[in-house]
Amino acid sequence: MVMASFSPAVNKSLSAPSFEPDPYKPEHLGKRLSVVPVKDSRTVEMAWLLPTMQNKYLTKPQGYLSHLLGHEGGGSVLSLLKKKGLANELSAGLSNSLSAFLSFAV
């Protein structure tokens, strides 16, 4: 079944793309953007660049961070933010994972 489905796929012997370890150059940093919202929404997203974790695929350390920050029970980051009236929801996890780096967003 698999052979019948994929045998027409041609091997073009392409190499995997490579990425620079730091995607942001100094000229890209320290910028302020002013935008006009298109709807009434209050959202903040923060992202951090971390070293690639492809070689740690068996242990998935970014999963621990996602669970710690994304936990919604008592004593969690979200619980504290809700008490202070600063958040209604929170999510955390990888937004991009490439060969040279990954982007972790909260």
Side-chain angles (χ1 to χ4, degrees):
M1 182 172 168
V2 171
M3 291 299 291
S5 297
F6 290 98
S7 61
V10 179
N11 181 354
K12 296 182 181 179
S13 299
L14 299 175
S15 59
S18 63
F19 300 94
E20 294 184 33
D22 188 0
Y24 301 114
K25 305 295 180 230
E27 63 268 19
H28 300 136
L29 303 175
K31 303 285 183 186
R32 178 180 170 181
L33 299 176
S34 297
V35 297
V36 177
V38 294
K39 67 179 184 177
D40 186 20
S41 176
R42 297 186 314 171
T43 304
V44 174
E45 181 173 328
M46 295 178 279
W48 292 267
L49 287 181
L50 300 174
T52 186
M53 301 210 184
Q54 288 183 344
N55 60 343
K56 297 174 176 60
Y57 69 95
L58 290 175
T59 57
K60 298 178 180 49
Q62 71 277 9
Y64 292 104
L65 191 54
S66 297
H67 288 290
L68 287 171
L69 292 173
H71 176 64
E72 298 183 356
S76 66
V77 173
L78 179 60
S79 174
L80 175 67
L81 292 173
K82 279 184 173 182
K83 284 179 189 171
K84 294 182 178 251
L86 297 174
N88 295 324
E89 59 185 72
L90 186 144
S91 63
L94 293 180
S95 57
N96 287 307
S97 181
L98 302 172
S99 58
F101 63 89
L102 62 86
S103 178
F104 188 88
V106 178

